[in-house]
Amino acid sequence: MMRSRSWLLFLTLFAFYGCAIAQPKSTQKKIQQLLQQGYLRLEEGETTQAIGLFREVLLIDSNQVQAWVGFAQGEAQRKQHAKSVSCFQRARNLSPDALASLLPLYAEELAGIGEFQTALSLIDSLLRRSEEHTSEL
């Protein structure tokens, strides 16, 4: 009897362990699918649907940089500058290089909330980096 209980406990723990290992892969797959759908919706101009998909990702994992960036782009399309800036800043805090290709849009959104000096500074640093890169070639 004791041996069968030990065996049952072992099987139960093994099943939970297996579920714990499988969970991240399936969750990661779901996140990737949602991100893909979100960016596709953005491209198609379906901003509200895209934002909903990015929100769904963030409910699963609030540290998903790509979701914050997509969310920011969606809010920029809706001219919701303050929300867009907030999302861009969240993405930038999580990964400083996350906005490399979107710095002009981020600067435009900053200007949209009256942060002209910050926007100008951002564009200035972008231009300096571009000049440095060009001179290296």
Side-chain angles (χ1 to χ4, degrees), residues 108-128:
E108 185 179 326
E109 293 304 297
L110 285 165
I113 62 169
E115 294 286 334
F116 301 111
Q117 192 59 43
T118 306
L120 186 60
S121 173
L122 194 60
I123 293 298
D124 190 44
S125 68
L126 183 63
L127 290 172
R128 269 188 268 120

Side-chain angles (χ1 to χ4, degrees), residues 2-3 7 18 29 31 33 38 55 67 76-77 81 90 94 96 99 120 126 133:
M2 185 66 151
R3 189 173 189 178
W7 184 247
K29 185 176 180 180
I31 286 171
Q33 289 172 341
R55 278 189 178 137
Q77 285 181 5
H81 306 297
R90 182 72 184 261
L94 290 168
L99 305 182
L120 186 60
L126 183 63
H133 180 69

Side-chain angles (χ1 to χ4, degrees), residues 30-127:
K30 180 174 177 132
I31 286 171
Q32 290 307 314
Q33 289 172 341
L34 290 168
L35 286 171
Q36 220 172 17
Q37 290 173 13
Y39 279 102
L40 182 61
R41 296 290 177 267
L42 273 183
E43 287 177 25
E44 294 173 348
E46 298 173 6
T47 310
T48 303
Q49 293 86 351
I51 289 172
L53 291 164
F54 295 129
R55 278 189 178 137
E56 197 173 331
V57 170
L58 294 170
L59 287 174
I60 298 169
D61 180 0
S62 63
N63 292 322
Q64 271 292 330
V65 175
Q66 293 171 319
W68 284 112
V69 170
F71 200 160
Q73 289 176 291
E75 293 296 4
Q77 285 181 5
R78 294 181 352 156
K79 304 294 184 210
Q80 297 295 315
H81 306 297
K83 289 180 183 178
S84 179
V85 167
S86 176
C87 292
F88 273 132
Q89 288 172 339
R90 182 72 184 261
R92 200 171 192 195
N93 288 341
L94 290 168
S95 175
D97 297 330
L99 305 182
S101 64
L102 296 170
L103 288 177
L105 178 58
Y106 180 40
E108 185 179 326
E109 293 304 297
L110 285 165
I113 62 169
E115 294 286 334
F116 301 111
Q117 192 59 43
T118 306
L120 186 60
S121 173
L122 194 60
I123 293 298
D124 190 44
S125 68
L126 183 63
L127 290 172

